[in-house]
Structures are given as C-alpha cells and as structure tokens.
Amino acid sequence: MLKIYLSLFVLLLSGIVFSQSTVAVSGKLIDENLKLPLESATVYFSRVSDSTVVDYTISDKNGNFNFKIKTLDYPVILRVSYTGYLDYKKQFASLQKDIDLGTIGLQENVSSLKEVVVKSEIPPISVKADTLEFNASSFKVAPDANVEKLLKQLPGVEIDTDGKITVNGKEVNNILVNGKPFFGKDGKIATQNLPAEMIEKVQVTDTKTKKEELSGQTASDNTSTINLTIQEDKNKGLFGKATAGYGTDDRYESSVLFNYFKDTQKISVLGSSNNINSVGFSMDEIFDNMGGGRNQSVYINSNGSFGINGMRFGGNSGITKSNMLGVNFSDEWFNKKVDPNGSYYYTNSITENRNRTGRINLLPTGNTSTNSESNAKTDNTGHAINFDLEVKIDSTTTLYLSPNISKNKTLDQYTSFSSSFDSANALLNENTTNNFQDVERSSFTNNLYLYKKLKRKGRGVSFTMNNEYSDNETNLNTNTNTVFYQSGNPDDSRNQNRLDTDKMDMLELEVGYSEPITDSLKLSFETSFKTQRFRNAKTTFDFDAVTNAYTDYNDLLSNQIFSRNNTFNGSVGISITKSKYRFNLDFGTDFLNYDNQSTYLSTITTLKNNYMYPNVRAYINYKVAKSKSIYSRYTYNVNLPSAEQLLPFENLANPLNTITGNAFLKPVENHNLYMNFNNYDYATRSGFYSYFGGSLRKNQIVSSTVYDADFKANTTYQNIDQTYNFYTGFSVNKSYKKEKRTFKYGFGIGVNYDFNQGLTNATLYQAKGIQLNPRANLSWSIDDLVTIAPSYRYTYNSTSFENYVIDKTNTFRHIFKLEATTYWPKNVVLGNDFGYTYNSNIANGFQKDFYLWNVSLGYNFFNEQLLAKVKVYDLLNQNVNATRTITPTAITDEENTVLQQYVMFSLTYKLEKFGGKKKDGNRFMIH
C-alpha cells in the first residue's frame, strides 16, 4: 500500500512539469508629449465576450512590460491604464505568436478649470508598490452576496471547504476593513457578513508585523493580508443581520450583527445564543449557525473545540450552550495622528459530556488495559478587552501600543470510574473520582513599539517592550478512592481541598538600529533582555470529620515552586531587497540562565545553571516571475526545561501517578526548515503549490514511566538523543469560466515522516511513522442557479517500532463530502450537505463509519429583507463521536456525547441603510 501511494505521488509530481506553448507580448509605455517612461502602469488582457481578466502585468521603471502568456484561441483586448492618462486599447482575434507592440504613447487626460471628468475606466487589477489591488465593481456577484463570494470571483483567490483563503497560493492570515481589524484579524466575521456591494477595493499585501510595517522592513512571513476598502457612499450608514430559530428537542439559535459606519468611525455589535455547538457567526446563507457541516463556526480545531479570537467555546465532545456579546470600535482622531481600534467580548459556554474510554497500555512486561466512564459539566465565563493604538508623534516618530486584558471563570463538575486489568484479565486497580473545580484566570499583555526615522532613508532606531502577567487560581474539592488488588499496597482514599496558584511575569526589552549601506542592502543591530518569573503553590487540606471542614493540612500534597529565566541576546542582521528577491539573515548569541527553587516537606531545593547558544533566523523570497515565487526559512533556537521537569521532588497529586523531576535535564535544541514554490497562471486560471519542511530536535525531553504490580505509575523526565520529522506535498487547482458557468477542480497529496524515541518501563524504543493524505475536489456552478461541490480525502498511517511491544500499525480513513445548493425557483434556496466517513482505526464495539447529511430550505421575501428557513441536522440520525488514538505507549478508543438529529425553523432579517455621495458606475463628477 505504501509503495503504491509513493509511486502515485511521484507520478503526479512528474506530471506537473509539462511543456505548454506560450507567447510573449511586450512593449514600452511613455508620455506621448514628454516622451518620458511611465512606471507602474497596469497592463492587462480581458476576454471580449465577458470582460473577464485573463492576465495582467505592470510596467517597470523604464516603462517596459512583458507578458509570457499561454496561447489563446479566443478574442481578447489589451488595455493599458495609468492614473491621469487616457486608456489605451487594442483588440486581438487570438494570441498564437510573439507580439512586440513597440512604444506606446499615452495621452494625458484633458480637463477644464471648472469641472474634472474622469473618463478612464478603472482597471480590474492594478499593482501599487507591493500591493495587488482588485476593483470590486469589475467582478460580478449577486446583489445580496457577502464579501466571501466576491473574493471567490477574484483571479488567484481560492477559498477551500474549511474557509482557508489563499491568494496566488499564499495563505491569508489577516483580514482588515479600511486598514483596521474587524472583530479580530481572523477576518471571517468580515468576509461572511459584510455585503459585497459595500466594497470598493480588495487590496492584497504581504503580512507584516507592526515592527516591520512601521520600520519599513520587508515581510519575513510567507502569508498575505487582505484589506477591504469601503465605498465612500457606503461608508455612512447602518447594516446588519439578525437570526432567530427554534427546533425539536428544544434546540435554539439566535445571532445579531449590527454595524454603524460614519467616515472613519466604525462601531459594530454582535451577539449570539444557541445550544447547537456553534459560536453563531458563520452566517452561511444556507445553514446559518448549524454545526457539523460546511459551517466551521469561525474556526474549529482538530480536537473539535471551536472559538473566536482565541476564546474557546467548547467542542464536539459534548453538547454546548453558548452565549456571546461583542463590541468593536475604530476611529481616527486628531487629524489622523491617533489611530485607535478596540474590542470587548463577553462569552459564556456550558458543555455537558458523557465519555466512555477503553485503553490498551503497551508495556514491555506485558500489556494491560484500562476501561473508564465519566460525566463532565463545564461552565466557562470570560471577558476580554483588546486595544490597538497607533500614535504619529511627528512625521518621523510613531508609537504603537497594544494592551489586552482577559478574565475567565470556569466551574467544572467531573465524576468517573475506571478499572485496570493485566494481560490475563486479572483486576489490578479501581478508581472512583468525584471532583468539583473552580478556576479563575486573569491575564494582561501589552506590546509597545516606538520607531524613529532618521535623516537618511532606511536609517532608524527602535524600542520594543513586551510584558505579560497572568494569575491563575484553582480551587479543587476532590473525593477519590483507589483500590489496589495485586501488591498489597494500602488503598488510597482522599477527601481533600486543594488550592493551586500559578503566577507568571514576563518583561522583554529590545533596542534596535538599522543602517542602509545601499538602496538594497541594510544592516541591523539589536540587543534584547527577557526575564520570566513563575510562581506555583499547591496547598492541600484533608477533610476533618470533627470540624466538618477541610482543616487538616496535608504536607505530602503541598509544595511551592519558584522559577526565574533570563535571556540576553545580541544580534546582527543583514537584509537584501531586490526586485527579484528578498533575503534576510539574523544571527546572534543567547545567554541563558535559570534559577529554580522548590519547597517541599520543609526542604528547600535550588537549581541554577547558565548556558550560551547561538540564535539564527534566515529567510529568502525569490520571485521567479510575476506569479511564481520560491520561499524558504530556517530557524535555530533553544528551549529550557520547565521547573516541574527539573526539580527532584515528588508530586503525589494523582493517586495513580507519582511525578518526580530530573535535575540533570539539558535544554532542547530546535532546527526548523521550510520552503515552498508557488505558481498561479491567470491566463489558464490554474495554480500549483509545493512545499517541503522539517524539524530536528536534539536532547528532546520525554517522560519516563515505570509501573508497579498494581499498574501504579512512577514518572520522571529524560533527555533522548534526537527526534525529527519531515513533510512534503503539492496541490494543483484549475478553473474554467464561460459566461455564468464555472468549473473548478483541485487535487494534491501530503506526506509526513516522523522519527520519535521514548521510554516506557525504562526501555528505550523507536517509532517511525509515515502519513499520506491524497485529496481531490470538484466544483461546478451556474451563477444564481446551482452549485455542486464533491470532495474526497484519504488518510493512510503506518508506524513501525523497534524495541517495543508491537512491530507495526496500519490505519486508514476515507472522507467523502458533497455540497449542493440550488437557487431555483426564484427566492428559494435549497442546500444539501452530505458527508461519509470510514475510519479503520476504530475498535470493535465502536461504529467505524457514519453518514452526516444536513438539509436547509430557505425562502426570501419582503424585498429580500426577510429569509425564512427550515433546516434538518443529521437527517439520517447517524452522527457519532468515536475515535481511536495510537501512541507508542497506548491504544485508546473513545466515545463522547454528540449533537443528534434536530429540525430548526428560523427567520433572518437583513438591514441596510446607507447614505452619502451617489456613485455612477466607474465615473465621478467633481464640481
């Protein structure tokens, strides 16, 4: 099986490199009167039939432009657009051979003194410096479409089934509205809720940190930012949506998003409440907040938990009732010198889950098994305030502040029963647990960056301060009873109250200076100091039957840990920026020291040490052609062991596992390498993306566990020689568009290889694993009529072991999905979301496959301001949550509570009320 998929990978990869006939179209642009070259003019081909953009380029500093475009057998128009000049047009019946257009003179736009009439057509695509800009009005979408539908029409922009956006193969990790975050930089609330008709331009740039942005540095990351600019006449008004629904089994949903825009001032309010495992803000026009299907609820982690802007709401393990309220504000003050942006969130979620777990414990001395059942209820309430403030002190100095405050309170109720057996099915131990836990977390972080431009261009000094403070307090009432059957050890019964406090302080200071050597070569010098303090205290009291309270101090289960880590770094950076490539290398030295101290049973243990390691960061971005690029980065850094891993005292909190630190642990050295190749061809609307990367970890820290006759564990930590992993893969996508019909397809494969080492019962083992992920997807649509999108993914895992209980494991999984949406008859929308999953990695007694089919039927009325729907979740009533996890130490099968079939009736109201200047197509009249 493995050889078959490797052969398939090689075959597909080799099939990507093929020769296709191309032609070159070149010319030079000048001012017709002054005879001077025109730089950064937009030159593009569009179809005669429907004005669809075929390909584009821009002129260089000498006015030259050059297309390398695949041959075309249909009529196209070459258009040249430059601000302040009349457009140039030339039609071609086809493009079959090289064409040299020679020198093209553009005429300056003639104007009168009383009135300026801009007659030039706004180009659909233009490039300004490092910004790719799309004119939204050049791309047709339905009148009620959201921004996400607009993005799907833009050449080079792809949105996959998980909602991930890429532009020319580069992932978009930051979405702004008029240059400001809109409920966080994730941006999906903006793309799924803002009307497309509001948008004037979609601007794409490389994602920069605030430090890179203010200092004028090139972007070090290989990701993109999308900025949505709002039309002037739509930048004053109100718009929003409100949805309310009720269904069978008392299922309900509700959400509202209200926006007030007035020039630079923007105020948005959102709220939601539901008990269907959703945040409530996908606002998919078909399924609204329904989970489990195409709706990804802003984001969903691989473990099923979901959230927004870092706040976790619960997961697919259990059923969650969630409530949320958020406010976002942005403006510009004092003649645009002060640029504030802030948001507040209130969140509440209550999750209830019933879990059944069966685990085979893999040991060199013989396997054991553990079966458990548990019930859990978690009530989490949180508040978060995020604020960004940029202050232009003067023309050369900018200050940026980003304070964030969060406070959370979690109430956990947990009951469980577990039992362990040896290989002969003899009972080893039993454990009964009844816990109630009250957790309070608060944190404050602040990032400050000050940049001062000096006289020479590119020269500047900077000051950075990052600080963070967190305070977590856990109050646990635990009542456990553990019975041991084999060794004769006494039973362990506990009725206790334990107070855990964790506090962390971090302060980081950095001073930097940049010096340009030439226009393209720059040196930078930085020095930084970072200090972290960790304080942990566990105080345990046993229940006293006489006082009927927790007053009996338990010194065996009480301890204190203090830790301080300091890092001093000095580094030198070299940056080279050319038209074809960007290169950056930062290298320096980290001086590390730690001071760890524990107090346990009146004994104070102190550990101190000092280290010196290099610190290296490098990246290169090479632009092969307009839409072809190669990117690579390498980093080397070191991680210190934690105080809990180092300090050699016994942690007896878990009656089935005693943990002891190891004072002789070494720091972990990390080498990371990544590279990729991107290519998107506008003429054929086809893209190719390939990648390769890996990590090497020296002195990796692993846990070493030894079990006694009762299967009670004693755990410590050890360094092992090294572990590593490598990954590679590619993806291909292509689309065809003819009038209202669009056909897209994509396929790809990912390969991962891991080498791990570990210890179990003091025996060193090795695990070598390979994972293959071939996938394919299709999409066929007729605008405003029908969309059909099937997809398939196959996952194959194989792991071989040395010095271990088992030699090899092989598992696979099939995932098939079919999404179908029809918009006929008029005002009626029917959505079907069907999925099938088969997982061989499930034990007998657990369901290996299941179908999930969601259906939605909607009707628009009242001038499309109201939308009535009926939705059925899990039409076949087959949804399950059974998983198997294989690690070098155990094979674990789990089953959790899942959301089951329900029917929901809902009503959505859409509000849009704009005011301002009137806009007539692409022309404006200014008197």
Side-chain angles (χ1 to χ4, degrees):
M1 180 68 73
L2 177 58
K3 292 181 179 179
I4 292 175
Y5 280 99
L6 284 175
S7 300
L8 177 63
F9 173 72
V10 174
L11 178 62
L12 291 175
L13 189 60
S14 62
I16 299 305
V17 184
F18 56 92
S19 60
Q20 285 186 309
S21 179
T22 60
V23 296
V25 181
S26 59
K28 181 173 183 176
L29 303 176
I30 63 170
D31 182 300
E32 189 171 37
N33 296 320
L34 301 176
K35 307 302 180 184
L36 296 175
L38 298 178
E39 181 182 2
S40 297
T42 303
V43 187
Y44 62 98
F45 281 102
S46 60
R47 290 176 181 261
V48 172
S49 59
D50 58 7
S51 299
T52 301
V53 175
V54 176
D55 202 355
Y56 80 96
T57 190
I58 61 171
S59 57
D60 63 18
K61 62 182 179 180
N62 298 315
N64 296 316
F65 66 89
N66 190 352
F67 280 96
K68 286 187 177 179
I69 188 171
K70 293 180 175 63
T71 56
L72 304 176
D73 59 359
Y74 49 82
V76 291
I77 297 178
L78 175 71
R79 300 176 187 266
V80 179
S81 179
Y82 194 72
T83 304
Y85 289 79
L86 298 177
D87 287 351
Y88 170 87
K89 300 179 182 179
K90 185 176 179 64
Q91 184 168 331
F92 299 86
S94 64
L95 293 179
Q96 301 292 335
K97 60 181 181 179
D98 294 350
I99 300 173
D100 185 356
L101 297 170
T103 301
I104 300 174
L106 299 186
Q107 297 180 6
E108 191 174 0
N109 199 9
V110 179
S111 61
S112 65
L113 294 176
K114 294 184 179 180
E115 181 179 67
V116 176
V117 182
V118 181
K119 297 181 180 179
S120 298
E121 179 180 326
I122 301 175
I125 300 174
S126 59
V127 178
K128 300 179 179 179
D130 59 349
T131 301
L132 174 63
E133 188 173 272
F134 298 95
N135 175 33
S137 63
S138 299
F139 302 92
K140 297 178 182 179
V141 292
D144 61 342
N146 58 18
V147 169
E148 186 172 83
K149 285 193 172 182
L150 170 63
L151 294 178
K152 290 181 178 180
Q153 299 299 315
L154 306 182
V157 178
E158 296 290 335
I159 303 179
D160 66 15
T161 55
D162 295 327
K164 185 177 74 173
I165 303 172
T166 57
V167 180
N168 296 342
K170 293 172 64 173
E171 183 176 351
V172 174
N173 67 339
N174 193 10
I175 295 178
L176 308 175
V177 177
N178 279 357
K180 307 285 185 65
F182 188 77
F183 285 107
K185 294 182 179 181
D186 175 88
K188 289 186 180 178
I189 290 181
T191 60
Q192 295 174 349
N193 291 278
L194 295 183
E197 62 182 1
M198 290 183 60
I199 306 304
E200 181 175 24
K201 297 182 185 300
V202 178
Q203 299 168 330
V204 182
T205 60
D206 292 334
T207 299
K208 293 185 176 183
T209 64
K210 184 57 67 172
K211 178 180 178 180
E212 291 168 342
E213 177 187 332
L214 296 180
S215 63
Q217 299 178 27
T218 57
S220 59
D221 199 10
N222 190 43
T223 54
S224 295
T225 291
I226 287 179
N227 180 43
L228 306 167
T229 67
I230 298 177
Q231 298 174 16
E232 183 181 0
D233 61 324
K234 298 291 177 66
N235 209 25
K236 294 181 180 179
L238 306 172
F239 69 93
K241 284 183 180 180
T243 298
Y246 185 78
T248 58
D249 296 328
D250 290 326
R251 299 293 169 211
Y252 63 88
E253 65 171 336
S254 62
S255 62
V256 61
L257 175 63
F258 173 81
N259 305 274
Y260 170 73
F261 283 15
K262 185 178 181 182
D263 298 324
T264 60
Q265 187 180 89
K266 299 172 186 61
I267 301 174
S268 300
V269 178
L270 57 78
S272 76
S273 179
N274 68 79
N275 63 353
I276 55 173
N277 285 6
S278 174
V279 175
F281 287 98
S282 79
M283 300 293 276
D284 181 283
E285 83 258 17
I286 312 301
F287 290 98
D288 290 322
N289 306 319
M290 187 183 294
R294 73 183 73 186
N295 170 20
Q296 293 300 298
S297 299
V298 184
Y299 71 74
I300 290 185
N301 294 325
S302 59
N303 64 359
S305 64
F306 60 88
I308 180 172
N309 297 323
M311 292 176 287
R312 184 178 180 273
F313 275 74
N316 289 344
S317 296
I319 297 177
T320 299
K321 300 177 183 179
S322 65
N323 304 284
M324 180 170 132
L325 175 67
V327 180
N328 189 84
F329 169 81
S330 65
D331 205 346
E332 293 178 358
W333 298 334
F334 306 109
N335 295 321
K336 299 184 178 181
K337 290 185 177 181
V338 179
D339 195 354
N341 180 276
S343 62
Y344 163 77
Y345 286 97
Y346 163 80
T347 59
N348 171 258
S349 64
I350 301 174
T351 301
E352 296 185 64
N353 184 45
R354 182 179 181 87
N355 173 275
R356 180 167 66 99
T357 299
R359 187 174 71 248
I360 299 175
N361 309 291
L362 305 173
L363 301 174
T365 55
N367 295 346
T368 65
S369 60
T370 301
N371 299 317
S372 65
E373 291 189 3
S374 66
N375 288 283
K377 181 178 180 180
T378 302
D379 186 341
N380 183 67
T381 301
H383 304 268
I385 299 175
N386 306 301
F387 196 70
D388 292 330
L389 184 67
E390 188 173 316
V391 182
K392 297 178 178 63
I393 298 174
D394 55 39
S395 60
T396 63
T397 310
T398 303
L399 174 67
Y400 172 75
L401 286 167
S402 179
N404 301 284
I405 302 171
S406 68
K407 188 173 182 63
N408 290 272
K409 183 179 180 66
T410 302
L411 300 177
D412 275 322
Q413 289 179 288
Y414 177 80
T415 61
S416 71
F417 174 79
S418 67
S419 54
S420 296
F421 303 84
D422 63 16
S423 57
N425 209 33
L427 187 61
L428 298 174
N429 64 63
E430 290 181 326
N431 175 269
T432 303
T433 298
N434 189 351
N435 286 347
F436 179 79
Q437 185 171 261
D438 181 349
V439 183
E440 293 191 6
R441 303 181 183 91
S442 59
S443 69
F444 171 78
T445 63
N446 183 44
N447 302 313
L448 180 150
Y449 182 72
L450 178 67
Y451 184 74
K452 171 74 174 178
K453 296 179 182 177
L454 299 180
K455 190 172 183 180
R456 184 178 176 183
K457 182 180 179 181
R459 179 184 293 166
V461 294
S462 64
F463 172 74
T464 304
M465 182 185 75
N466 300 317
N467 63 291
E468 181 178 356
Y469 172 78
S470 65
D471 187 354
N472 301 330
E473 185 174 287
T474 302
N475 196 324
L476 171 67
N477 284 345
T478 179
N479 194 332
T480 68
N481 183 53
T482 306
V483 180
F484 301 105
Y485 290 98
Q486 300 295 327
S487 65
N489 288 333
D491 297 344
D492 189 325
S493 296
R494 304 182 184 187
N495 186 2
Q496 298 169 333
N497 174 264
R498 189 174 75 211
L499 180 64
D500 290 1
T501 58
D502 283 286
K503 297 186 179 184
M504 189 273 288
D505 292 283
M506 186 275 288
L507 176 65
E508 183 177 20
L509 303 174
E510 179 185 283
V511 177
Y513 172 77
S514 58
E515 176 64 31
I517 306 303
T518 66
D519 290 342
S520 59
L521 176 63
K522 182 188 292 186
L523 295 179
S524 61
F525 306 89
E526 291 182 347
T527 181
S528 65
F529 174 74
K530 180 178 181 179
T531 181
Q532 291 176 287
R533 290 191 305 169
F534 301 89
R535 286 163 288 177
N536 173 268
K538 291 181 173 62
T539 306
T540 304
F541 290 90
D542 292 321
F543 184 78
D544 190 330
V546 177
T547 61
N548 199 35
Y550 294 100
T551 55
D552 189 4
Y553 180 72
N554 189 321
D555 56 356
L556 286 174
L557 297 179
S558 302
N559 60 71
Q560 295 184 35
I561 295 175
F562 172 81
S563 176
R564 182 195 294 273
N565 299 333
N566 294 325
T567 304
F568 176 78
N569 173 269
S571 66
V572 177
I574 301 173
S575 177
I576 302 174
T577 305
K578 296 285 189 179
S579 59
K580 284 285 188 180
Y581 68 89
R582 303 194 309 262
F583 171 77
N584 188 85
L585 171 64
D586 292 302
F587 56 92
T589 303
D590 283 342
F591 298 91
L592 309 162
N593 73 75
Y594 64 69
D595 181 357
N596 298 314
Q597 181 177 289
S598 65
T599 302
Y600 181 58
L601 298 176
S602 302
T603 300
I604 298 176
T605 304
T606 301
L607 288 175
K608 297 182 179 181
N609 217 329
N610 298 289
Y611 298 98
M612 183 175 68
Y613 284 96
N615 189 314
V616 182
R617 301 184 304 274
Y619 75 87
I620 184 169
N621 194 329
Y622 180 72
K623 191 174 183 181
V624 181
K626 174 170 54 50
S627 58
K628 296 179 183 179
S629 63
I630 298 173
Y631 174 84
S632 181
R633 68 169 181 263
Y634 167 79
T635 61
Y636 170 85
N637 55 34
V638 170
N639 297 122
L640 294 175
S642 67
E644 288 81 1
Q645 293 172 328
L646 284 165
L647 291 165
F649 71 91
E650 291 186 330
N651 182 346
L652 303 173
N654 186 341
L656 287 173
N657 190 9
T658 299
I659 302 174
T660 308
N662 179 1
F664 301 101
L665 290 177
K666 301 175 184 177
V668 182
E669 301 177 51
N670 302 293
H671 300 264
N672 297 284
L673 175 68
Y674 173 79
M675 62 189 304
N676 67 44
F677 171 73
N678 281 326
N679 179 21
Y680 186 87
D681 186 87
Y682 286 88
T684 60
R685 298 177 71 92
S686 61
F688 172 69
Y689 172 74
S690 62
Y691 61 91
F692 172 82
S695 300
L696 171 66
R697 297 167 293 276
K698 293 182 67 67
N699 299 322
Q700 176 75 17
I701 297 174
V702 299
S703 59
S704 176
T705 302
V706 177
Y707 297 90
D708 64 15
D710 292 316
F711 195 61
K712 181 179 179 181
N714 289 277
T715 299
T716 187
Y717 301 95
Q718 299 284 347
N719 288 112
I720 58 175
D721 183 25
Q722 65 181 18
T723 64
Y724 55 84
N725 71 288
F726 296 102
Y727 52 91
T728 186
F730 74 89
S731 62
V732 175
N733 61 79
K734 185 175 177 61
S735 64
Y736 302 87
K737 187 172 179 62
K738 185 176 183 180
E739 297 177 347
K740 289 189 175 184
R741 291 173 172 80
T742 302
F743 175 73
K744 298 181 180 181
Y745 72 83
F747 64 89
I749 189 170
V751 181
N752 297 276
Y753 178 82
D754 296 282
F755 174 81
N756 291 301
Q757 294 181 315
L759 292 161
T760 181
N761 262 10
T763 300
L764 179 69
Y765 66 84
Q766 294 182 352
K768 301 175 182 178
I770 188 167
Q771 182 184 81
L772 301 178
N773 289 290
R775 61 196 180 278
N777 61 276
L778 301 174
S779 175
W780 178 78
S781 65
I782 301 176
D783 291 352
D784 305 322
L785 184 62
V786 63
T787 298
I788 300 174
S791 63
Y792 172 75
R793 180 186 293 267
Y794 178 83
T795 301
Y796 173 79
N797 289 281
S798 177
T799 305
S800 59
F801 299 92
E802 293 182 13
N803 295 333
Y804 205 60
V805 182
I806 56 178
D807 295 326
K808 195 171 187 179
T809 63
N810 294 296
T811 63
F812 61 89
R813 180 169 57 185
H814 301 276
I815 299 176
F816 172 78
K817 290 187 177 182
L818 176 64
E819 296 178 5
T821 307
T822 58
Y823 301 88
W824 182 89
K826 186 178 180 180
N827 295 331
V828 175
V829 182
L830 174 64
N832 284 274
D833 190 353
F834 176 82
Y836 171 76
T837 299
Y838 178 88
N839 189 354
S840 73
N841 192 22
I842 298 292
N844 295 330
F846 294 86
Q847 189 171 336
K848 292 179 181 289
D849 66 343
F850 71 94
Y851 300 89
L852 183 61
W853 187 4
N854 299 331
V855 180
S856 169
L857 178 64
Y859 177 71
N860 287 286
F861 61 102
F862 197 61
N863 294 325
E864 298 191 347
Q865 285 186 289
L866 288 175
L867 174 61
K869 292 182 189 174
V870 56
K871 296 164 288 188
V872 182
Y873 176 80
D874 191 13
L875 182 66
L876 302 178
N877 199 25
Q878 288 204 355
N879 194 21
V880 296
N881 189 339
T883 61
R884 168 172 281 197
T885 304
I886 299 179
T887 68
T889 58
I891 300 175
T892 304
D893 293 291
E894 264 191 281
E895 194 170 49
N896 294 282
T897 302
V898 295
L899 190 64
Q900 294 183 327
Q901 185 185 77
Y902 65 84
V903 181
M904 180 80 73
F905 299 88
S906 68
L907 186 67
T908 299
Y909 173 72
K910 179 180 177 182
L911 170 68
E912 285 188 11
K913 185 177 180 181
F914 299 109
K917 295 182 180 180
K918 298 295 183 183
K919 180 179 176 183
D920 180 19
N922 292 325
R923 303 182 180 215
F924 290 91
M925 299 289 290
I926 303 174
H927 298 276

